[in-house]
Amino acid sequence: MEIVLASGNLGKLREFESILDSCPLVIRPKSDFGIPDPEETGRTFRENALIKARAASRHCGLPALADDSGLAVDGLDGAPGVHSARYAGPGASDRQNIAKLLGRLEGMQSGMRSATFHCVIAMVQHGEDDCPALFFGSWAGRIATTPSGSHGFGYDPVFYLPEFDCTAAELGPEVKNAVSHRARALEQFREWIRKADFPSDILNPNNGEES
Ligand code: ITT
């Protein structure tokens, strides 16, 4: 089954590829089809994941998978949340987003630095699919006072994990891809797709056509 992955984030794409390695799916990045970024106007991760999946599927006609994710910091009332990618402004780099986050937390008690990564994966079979499948994952940690580590992407260098005594960017990809918010959501997706009851034209888009 061929499916489009509605993400332009290279860090996410690498993680999807690795986590879904043994899944019987041909995953095509949205860049293969020149799919533009839709406006992420949702107020929740779930709404934005659906916006991205539907827009990609409408554009290329394939079933689509999308990931909307972000970091919720307790001392900042859940910010940056759905604004994680552009926390420091449109087009902000990971480094700028991290700098803004550390600035906001400066001087706060250590109890305010607890944080959770959230990930919602949406799967639609076509652009107007009114019965999408949704998968959720979260990962709890704390915001470190300084960045460290070079693996991963986004806020990984400041996402400290007490159980590993290091940041997510200091974990190798094998470990992150076994325990992260995205790994947890994709684990459910893998289980679901294994049992899914798709119509034959979704499983085989060439069904009934001459090859
Ligand atoms: P797409 O919409 O094209 O998938 P995006 O980066 O804009 O890419 P989101 O709107 O879902 O995606 O924003 C997610 C942001 O949350 C991401 O850019 C990171 O800043 C942060 N984030 C999510 N998962 C993360 C992870 O595993 N490690 C570090 N930061 C993460």
Side-chain angles (χ1 to χ4, degrees):
M1 174 171 152
E2 203 176 28
I3 191 165
V4 60
L5 176 52
S7 177
N9 180 318
L10 291 179
K12 282 188 192 177
L13 290 169
R14 269 197 300 272
E15 293 185 6
F16 266 74
E17 208 170 282
S18 161
I19 297 168
L20 295 180
D21 186 31
S22 59
C23 203
L25 289 174
V26 178
I27 298 178
R28 309 259 318 259
K30 74 175 196 176
S31 57
D32 278 8
F33 304 94
I35 299 171
D37 292 336
E39 226 187 307
E40 294 183 31
T41 51
R43 281 168 304 167
T44 61
F45 296 117
R46 176 203 300 239
E47 285 172 4
N48 282 335
L50 278 168
I51 288 171
K52 291 190 267 192
R54 289 202 169 111
S57 188
R58 264 184 217 124
H59 191 278
C60 71
L62 287 175
L65 204 53
D67 164 315
D68 201 67
S69 45
L71 182 66
V73 180
D74 292 339
L76 300 176
D77 294 327
V82 293
H83 305 294
S84 293
R86 288 157 281 277
Y87 191 40
S93 66
D94 290 343
R95 195 183 286 258
Q96 290 169 323
N97 286 333
I98 286 175
K100 175 164 177 183
L101 179 65
L102 294 183
R104 286 279 152 94
L105 287 171
E106 219 169 273
M108 279 198 190
Q109 292 171 349
S110 78
M112 308 294 251
R113 303 184 86 96
S114 52
T116 307
F117 268 130
H118 296 281
C119 175
V120 178
I121 308 273
M123 151 97 196
V124 297
Q125 298 190 28
H126 53 81
E128 312 314 316
D129 190 347
D130 61 1
C131 205
L134 294 165
F135 308 91
F136 304 85
S138 60
W139 197 20
R142 306 178 48 72
I143 304 304
T145 46
T146 50
S148 48
S150 55
H151 295 293
F153 67 97
Y155 297 89
D156 282 342
V158 289
F159 193 65
Y160 175 77
L161 298 149
E163 67 273 34
F164 293 103
D165 191 22
C166 68
T167 68
E170 292 174 299
L171 288 178
E174 317 75 41
V175 181
K176 182 182 176 194
N177 290 338
V179 298
S180 75
H181 50 316
R182 187 161 297 103
R184 287 172 186 164
L186 283 176
E187 186 51 43
Q188 295 165 43
F189 168 74
R190 273 155 52 122
E191 192 54 22
W192 176 82
I193 203 127
R194 205 170 59 76
K195 298 184 188 149
D197 176 24
F198 291 123
S200 56
D201 60 331
I202 296 280
L203 282 171
N204 176 7
N206 296 321
N207 209 22
E209 283 175 22
E210 285 176 31
S211 54

